Amino acid sequence: MMQNSADSLIVLDFETTGLSPDMGDRAIEIGAVRLEKGEVVDRFQALMNPGKRVSGFIENYTGITNQMLSKAAPCDEVMEEFANFMGDSNLVAHNASFDKRFLDAELRRIAKTYDGSFACSLLVARRLYQRAPNHKLGSLISYKNIPSLGGFHRALFDSEMTAKLWMAMLEDIAQQTAQVDVPFAFIQKLSKTPKKAVSRLWSR
């Protein structure tokens, strides 16, 4: 059953061979956490073999080597499992347009779709934290003083950090709007509101 509350959904992150599935890039790792009422209740993490070698740049950037991927299950198998994990939950990612492109492309290959809607924690953060030095995930984690032990650019770690940032943002939104339970639809609206008009949302 799809949740309409913004604190019950799936936060996901992909590591990939490059920037664009339209140019033949593939997913090499997926990480996700399931939030229910703001608590992490389940996790999903898997490397996946894209059927081709990854560049030295991607190996260095992610720490995921060709040797690791040679032992991983193919993308199709992993995405089949993830489709089951996802169900009809709503979805969040940091810079969601990137992750959505890869999710859509990989699911298309196995003729799967999903019913949930996406929200982007990056777009929400740009509106909420207009004084932050930038809106990269690592910078926002520091800006909000969220403890982080681990390395960014691995999918499960990034999705867990995004989930912590997401809950911090929901608390800030709840205070501004005096809503106990922030609706997912409100977050989607906020992410599309021009920055200078955000303050008007709080007073409604």
Side-chain angles (χ1 to χ4, degrees), residues 9-10 13 32 47 51 55 60-61 66 74 78 82 88 117 149 152 162 169 191 199-200:
L9 38 69
I10 285 173
D13 182 73
L47 290 170
S55 68
N60 291 334
Y61 184 72
N66 283 295
V78 173
F82 184 69
D88 61 0
S117 297
L149 291 168
F152 289 96
T162 301
M169 292 197 296
S191 67
S199 56
R200 276 184 240 144

Side-chain angles (χ1 to χ4, degrees), residues 130-197:
Q130 296 187 20
R131 293 181 180 167
N134 65 59
H135 295 89
K136 291 177 183 168
L137 180 57
S139 304
L140 289 165
I141 293 296
S142 299
Y143 183 73
K144 291 299 291 174
N145 296 314
I146 296 168
S148 69
L149 291 168
F152 289 96
H153 309 309
R154 285 303 300 268
L156 184 58
F157 182 79
D158 281 5
S159 61
E160 289 185 331
M161 288 296 103
T162 301
K164 288 181 179 181
L165 174 66
W166 184 253
M167 290 315 302
M169 292 197 296
L170 288 190
E171 280 178 32
D172 291 341
I173 291 166
Q175 285 182 347
Q176 291 280 6
T177 59
Q179 295 181 88
V180 179
D181 195 12
V182 179
F184 188 76
F186 180 86
I187 300 282
Q188 289 181 304
K189 184 177 182 183
L190 171 62
S191 67
K192 294 179 181 130
T193 300
K195 286 184 195 173
K196 57 181 181 292

Side-chain angles (χ1 to χ4, degrees), residues 12 22 24 26 28 84 93 103 105 113 120 131 133 136 156 167:
L12 65 95
D22 294 340
R26 300 292 305 270
I28 55 173
N84 293 333
L103 180 66
T113 57
C120 177
R131 293 181 180 167
K136 291 177 183 168
L156 184 58
M167 290 315 302

Side-chain angles (χ1 to χ4, degrees), residues 1-12 32-43 82 85-93 116-121 124 159 162-167 170 182-185 187-188:
M1 188 192 79
M2 195 180 301
Q3 292 274 3
N4 293 317
S5 172
D7 66 0
S8 298
L9 38 69
I10 285 173
V11 184
L12 65 95
V33 295
R34 184 188 300 283
L35 291 176
E36 281 182 15
K37 299 195 180 336
E39 298 293 323
V40 174
V41 296
D42 205 358
R43 291 173 170 84
F82 184 69
F85 176 84
M86 188 170 46
D88 61 0
S89 298
N90 285 324
L91 307 162
V92 168
S117 297
F118 254 99
C120 177
S121 53
V124 175
S159 61
T162 301
K164 288 181 179 181
L165 174 66
W166 184 253
M167 290 315 302
L170 288 190
V182 179
F184 188 76
I187 300 282
Q188 289 181 304

Side-chain angles (χ1 to χ4, degrees), residues 18-19 38 44 62 67 82 100 106-107 109 145 154 170 182 200:
L19 295 177
F44 185 100
T62 63
Q67 189 178 6
F82 184 69
K100 184 178 187 303
E106 293 294 348
L107 288 177
R109 287 171 174 270
N145 296 314
R154 285 303 300 268
L170 288 190
V182 179
R200 276 184 240 144

